[in-house]
Amino acid sequence: MKTVNILAIETSCDDTSAAVLQNNVVLSNVIANQEVHRRFGGVVPELASRAHQQHIIPVVDQALQLANIHKNNLNAIAFTRGPGLLGSLLVGVSFARSLSQVLNIPLIEADHLNAHIYALFLDKPDKVFPKPQFPFLALLVSGGHTRIGIVRDFLDIEFIGDTIDDAAGEAFDKSAKIMGLPYPGGPEIDSLAKTGHISRFRFSKPVIPGYNFSFSGLKTSFLYFIRDELKKDPGFIQKNLNDLCASIQHTIVEILLEKMKFSTKQTGIKNIAVAGGVSANSYLKKVFHEWGKKEGLEIFFPDRGFTTDNAAMIGMLGYLKYNKGLFSTLDVTPYANNDK
Ligand code: KG4
Ligand code: ZN
């Protein structure tokens, strides 16, 4: 098999990332987090674009150095075309287009959401990870999306379910914000929930038919619940923080699990994968593995480092497209949402 060196760039939201892959093996995966957004309680698009401009060259340099690959030995450059923040995507797209022209190597666009799923096929130089067999069901849970897909083959995903309002990641982030926790709320809730009781507070789950999700009702009922309790006791959040985190996390995970139970029953598919930022959640991982064990299902999560936004997953999708000669032209522009 030919050895292919790919440089990948990811700039869809608030992390600037560059990775170097040799086939599906991640030689380096550098992620520069943008601290600038934290005091605003969410991502400020204008600031994100500016931070990407500052970070992109040092991040790419570092990725090449860590991988010990000279830029002249790259076979292709892959980048995130969308969906994401347009100003942020533009930085990565422009950089990738220029580098492709200067080095005279193919340019490969990657869809950020599909790439999250292909993160399951990455390996490290010293570690080969277990991989799902086709076809498998993919639950994609990120900050902006919650989807269920049937993955029939490489580059062949059919999405059968989507959220009709908020995403699972948003449910974590907004609940955290209501409790006064910093952004992003998912990891904060995950760690605070570890010493809390999952059934201390009960929140109603939405009744949505089929494969689709809804999270906005949960967020609203959480908001009203907290508001009412604060009226009775201003110290309510502080006194109950761990239980609140465990209970809201449990409800979000239950909503996801119920849809996946329905999907496996409907499709008969027994290989299940979870991907996207929320797949870093330790409770979700535990609950899904327990379900898999009980039902005889194979459950897969990407390696921890490849769950939240990273360029390695963009490189993986880039590698799959490279093998099929699916290249972009130099006039390619980003897309902000899936409608392109
Ligand atoms: O995939 P991702 O990094 O970016 C998008 O494509 O949106 O996902 C970000 C989302 C955020 O909502 C963040 O709170 C959530 O993933 N997240 C988590 C955890 N780590 C990140 N949610 C729950 N538990 C975590 N440990
Ligand atoms: Zn993402």
Side-chain angles (χ1 to χ4, degrees), residues 19-239:
V20 177
L21 267 70
Q22 194 154 74
N23 299 349
N24 75 323
V25 178
V26 184
L27 301 183
S28 63
N29 185 37
V30 178
I31 304 171
N33 300 118
Q34 300 182 357
E35 284 302 317
V36 66
H37 307 285
R38 243 178 129 78
R39 66 195 162 104
F40 297 100
V43 178
V44 184
E46 193 81 5
L47 295 178
S49 313
R50 235 182 287 173
H52 282 306
Q53 284 280 22
Q54 282 169 348
H55 292 159
I56 187 117
I57 292 182
V59 164
V60 167
D61 266 346
Q62 203 187 342
L64 287 166
Q65 264 174 37
L66 288 174
N68 205 13
I69 296 277
H70 191 272
K71 64 183 187 317
N72 293 338
N73 292 326
L74 292 172
N75 298 96
I77 176 154
F79 66 96
T80 307
R81 187 175 166 205
L85 301 170
L86 209 51
S88 292
L89 290 163
L90 271 168
V91 177
V93 175
S94 307
F95 183 87
R97 280 169 39 157
S98 312
L99 198 65
S100 145
Q101 195 167 27
V102 168
L103 298 176
N104 195 24
I105 52 174
L107 180 64
I108 305 174
E109 67 190 69
D111 178 90
H112 181 89
L113 302 179
N114 293 352
H116 266 303
I117 294 171
Y118 293 116
L120 289 150
F121 294 92
L122 290 166
D123 285 324
K124 288 181 175 175
D126 55 351
K127 193 151 188 211
V128 174
F129 297 103
K131 298 176 181 61
Q133 301 268 315
F134 298 113
F136 64 89
L137 278 176
L139 171 65
L140 171 64
V141 271
S142 71
H145 295 82
T146 304
R147 291 182 163 188
I148 299 172
I150 301 177
V151 188
R152 296 206 168 81
D153 202 345
F154 289 127
L155 309 180
D156 183 3
I157 305 175
E158 181 198 350
F159 286 107
I160 54 172
D162 208 335
T163 179
I164 58 170
D165 41 53
D166 288 356
E170 263 173 301
F172 273 104
D173 295 337
K174 288 178 177 171
S175 303
K177 200 171 183 175
I178 292 167
M179 293 185 283
L181 300 173
Y183 177 87
E188 300 281 335
I189 290 182
D190 190 352
S191 74
L192 287 164
K194 286 191 164 70
T195 49
H197 295 289
I198 57 168
S199 50
R200 169 82 192 288
F201 302 107
R202 296 212 174 257
F203 303 105
S204 58
K205 287 179 271 179
V207 183
I208 309 289
Y211 299 103
N212 288 338
F213 297 93
S214 166
F215 286 99
S216 76
L218 176 64
K219 169 197 67 192
T220 311
S221 70
F222 189 66
L223 177 69
Y224 289 164
F225 170 74
I226 296 278
R227 194 191 55 185
D228 293 347
E229 292 298 324
L230 282 177
K231 274 186 204 149
K232 292 181 241 162
D233 175 8
F236 176 75
I237 295 177
Q238 273 323 311
K239 287 176 196 155

